[in-house]
Amino acid sequence: MIEIDTLLVKVASRCNINCSYCYVYNMGDDGWTEMPKFMPSHTIKILTERLKEYLENNPERLFALVLHGGEPLLIGSRRLENMLLSLRSVLPEEHCISIQTNGILITDNILDICSNFKTSLSVSLDGPEKINDANRVGHRGEATYSRVLKGIEKLKHHADCSFLFAGLLAVIDPNSNPEEIYNFFKDVGSPNVDFLYRDGNHDKLPYGKASFHSVEYGYWLTSLLDVYLADQTPIKIRILDDVIRLALGGYGVKEGMGITDFGIAVIDTDGTVTKNDTLKSSFKGADRFSEKWNICSHSLVDIFSSNEFADAHLLQRANSAACLACPELGVCGGGMPLHRWKEGEGYENPSVYCKDQLHLINHLRTKLGVSGKKIHA
Ligand code: SF4
């Protein structure tokens, strides 16, 4: 059976905003239109039973459960409380439960409920107003920055803030100033920031990338790395911490950097179990299994023990000839599957961010004086 590190539970299939780059709504997959708006209470009850059964079969296994969407806080405080009551009845506090939110619907009541059920919140925010509002907009194109910041302020001022505020999640804008972005996030007072590459692949080049060979994101990340390493009191930046640890001979902990066996499963609002939902950006339905698995009719133990689930899990491993021969495979990992997609070739390619990764790794090795075969980006 594949061991699961993260279970992403889609509790709402709609969102109160409409970010231009969103892989759920704006990259060609409209599967969300067929989903219930919210995960129904009977599906939550079944999910709880499935988790109980899974843990009885894997008593040592700890995993993180992430309430996701759409915008998960659209479910409202009453549904959230009932859901967390149910989930916590089988998931003791050693298992992290968190919510990935755009922050706009955070209220003191929501925070009290999260505090009661040991559930933290990570907020999506791309940077200062101009950067954030370039893409993170409402359904009529209106700005969201000030509403997000209000939510973050509530989070920061809650009595249980040190637990509740898990951090910020930002999508990189390669045309922004990394130093300005870093200082902004430090001023916001987040305990950490996780930066993500923009979605894209070899057919649909990510925003800001001129070609497979260009290194716009590599330049941006090396500038961020320089600012980060020069700071005597830095905030945590997951992508940089990962690449530093890997270059020093350590292990990767999350998908996207290094060779990991990160196990993820996604459960949609109707109970359907899917692959990593970021695959939606490759083509319509790319995140679907051919088996129509649903927690209402299948146990998680059976699904995670199946060959098709194992094949999807294996997809995370670099599989192209270029990556398998690459001296930096151990640090880079070959990139996330969605970044490797090319029509006609599938996922058997290096990441579309290959040259950016090499530029970052080479720069880091030079900066830290850590050996590794230097290869040209
Ligand atoms: S740097 Fe490029 S070739 Fe090397 S492992 Fe990463 S994606 Fe593959």
Side-chain angles (χ1 to χ4, degrees):
M1 179 166 39
I2 299 299
E3 296 193 329
I4 292 298
D5 298 285
T6 294
L7 194 62
L8 208 77
V9 181
K10 302 268 177 179
V11 295
S13 62
R14 309 299 198 263
C15 190
N16 54 334
I17 63 172
N18 186 31
C19 302
S20 60
Y21 52 52
C22 183
Y23 64 83
V24 178
Y25 307 109
N26 295 319
M27 290 196 80
D29 189 304
D30 59 2
W32 61 274
T33 57
E34 293 156 23
M35 289 294 130
K37 285 187 178 166
F38 306 124
M39 184 173 273
S41 54
H42 67 267
T43 310
I44 293 163
K45 188 164 174 280
I46 292 168
L47 172 62
T48 304
E49 287 161 10
R50 297 297 188 197
L51 288 173
K52 184 167 181 274
E53 181 190 19
Y54 175 71
L55 287 170
E56 281 164 2
N57 279 270
N58 300 270
E60 306 294 318
R61 189 72 194 158
L62 290 179
F63 61 87
L65 187 146
V66 183
L67 303 185
H68 209 270
E71 168 49 45
L73 294 185
L74 275 174
I75 64 173
S77 56
R78 189 177 50 81
R79 274 200 200 91
L80 179 67
E81 187 164 28
N82 289 337
M83 180 179 293
L84 292 177
L85 179 66
S86 184
L87 294 173
R88 276 289 180 222
S89 70
V90 295
L91 289 180
E93 287 178 12
E94 304 89 84
H95 297 271
C96 296
I97 302 182
S98 65
I99 301 176
Q100 183 61 49
T101 173
N102 61 41
I104 293 171
L105 299 174
I106 291 175
T107 62
D108 292 332
N109 186 29
I110 293 270
L111 294 175
D112 288 344
I113 292 166
C114 289
S115 180
N116 283 345
F117 293 102
K118 276 284 166 215
T119 298
S120 61
L121 296 95
S122 168
V123 181
S124 300
L125 176 72
D126 285 353
E129 188 165 6
K130 204 167 148 220
I131 298 296
N132 185 74
D133 289 347
N135 294 293
R136 300 193 62 80
V137 293
H139 287 278
R140 292 182 303 281
E142 70 276 21
T144 60
Y145 175 84
S146 58
R147 288 182 288 157
V148 177
L149 262 284
K150 270 188 199 151
I152 291 173
E153 283 307 308
K154 282 196 169 67
L155 188 45
K156 280 167 57 184
H157 288 99
H158 192 275
D160 197 16
C161 156
S162 61
F163 168 77
L164 288 174
F165 195 3
L168 297 174
L169 185 63
V171 175
I172 297 171
D173 180 343
N175 295 313
S176 64
N177 178 333
E179 185 166 12
E180 182 194 350
I181 300 286
Y182 179 80
N183 289 332
F184 167 78
F185 282 129
K186 225 180 146 181
D187 288 347
V188 166
S190 176
N192 66 69
V193 186
D194 200 359
F195 286 99
L196 301 178
Y197 283 118
R198 277 279 282 261
D199 293 339
N201 53 52
H202 292 274
D203 295 324
K204 290 182 266 186
L205 282 179
Y207 163 81
K209 246 185 106 58
S211 74
F212 171 71
H213 296 282
S214 64
V215 284
E216 297 87 346
Y217 285 79
Y219 288 143
W220 194 93
L221 282 166
T222 51
S223 299
L224 183 72
L225 178 73
D226 289 345
V227 176
Y228 189 47
L229 292 177
D231 190 350
Q232 298 297 310
T233 55
I235 52 171
K236 283 175 180 282
I237 298 184
R238 201 269 303 174
I239 187 172
L240 297 182
D241 291 344
D242 279 1
V243 76
I244 291 168
R245 190 175 53 256
L246 286 157
L248 292 171
Y251 296 97
V253 290
K254 217 175 158 190
E255 57 180 347
M257 194 64 81
I259 299 172
T260 68
D261 266 325
F262 184 75
I264 183 168
V266 180
I267 301 177
D268 233 320
T269 54
D270 70 343
T272 301
V273 177
T274 74
K275 303 175 192 174
N276 194 328
D277 62 335
T278 57
L279 293 173
K280 285 176 193 286
S281 64
S282 308
F283 59 92
K284 181 175 160 58
D287 63 327
R288 299 280 151 167
F289 289 105
S290 60
E291 293 281 348
K292 302 251 179 290
W293 284 316
N294 190 300
I295 55 167
C296 299
S297 48
H298 300 84
S299 80
L300 292 175
V301 174
D302 287 348
I303 295 169
F304 299 160
S305 303
S306 70
N307 290 338
E308 194 180 0
F309 193 86
D311 288 346
H313 177 71
L314 207 60
L315 194 63
Q316 284 183 76
R317 288 285 186 118
N319 52 7
S320 70
C323 290
L324 296 177
C326 175
E328 293 295 4
L329 174 62
V331 181
C332 168
M336 292 175 71
L338 80 142
H339 296 140
R340 293 192 236 137
W341 172 257
K342 186 170 173 55
E343 184 73 41
E345 294 178 14
Y347 296 100
E348 212 171 302
N349 297 296
S351 168
V352 73
Y353 289 109
C354 171
K355 305 302 177 189
D356 302 278
Q357 295 274 83
L358 286 177
H359 184 78
L360 174 63
I361 296 166
N362 284 340
H363 182 83
L364 176 71
R365 290 202 184 282
T366 305
K367 192 102 186 168
L368 298 185
V370 181
S371 63
K373 190 175 173 192
K374 194 153 187 168
I375 38 184
H376 294 291

